[in-house]
Amino acid sequence: MGCDFTVLAFPGAGDAAEPEVAYTENIIGFILQDDSDQVTRFQRIYDAVWGRSMGAEASVDTMRQAQSQLTT
């Protein structure tokens, strides 16, 4: 992915809604990206990573296996 990020969406509807923004930070500062094309890019990256992630049960099983390997 390249960096940690958060896509922020604000409540509201229609013209009253604030646009989504992407927030990233590093050791020297942060960037608040409000360009809609760039925010869409971050959202697509998030969706791709989420789509590849394990479900809750598989995640718990993986953590239990790792824990058992560390404690034996």
Side-chain angles (χ1 to χ4, degrees):
M1 290 184 342
C3 67
D4 295 334
F5 64 89
T6 303
V7 175
L8 304 168
F10 303 96
D15 294 335
E18 293 292 327
E20 290 184 341
V21 296
Y23 172 84
T24 63
E25 66 181 39
N26 58 41
I27 61 173
I28 61 171
F30 70 92
I31 297 172
L32 199 57
Q33 182 63 257
D34 62 354
D35 177 77
S36 63
D37 291 337
Q38 293 300 319
V39 174
T40 299
R41 184 176 177 200
F42 279 102
Q43 189 64 51
R44 286 184 181 152
I45 292 167
Y46 176 85
D47 292 343
V49 170
W50 184 259
R52 291 183 180 108
S53 65
M54 292 186 274
E57 288 184 33
S59 295
V60 170
D61 290 343
T62 299
M63 288 185 278
R64 285 187 177 138
Q65 289 173 2
Q67 179 186 22
S68 71
Q69 291 174 359
L70 293 172
T71 58
T72 57

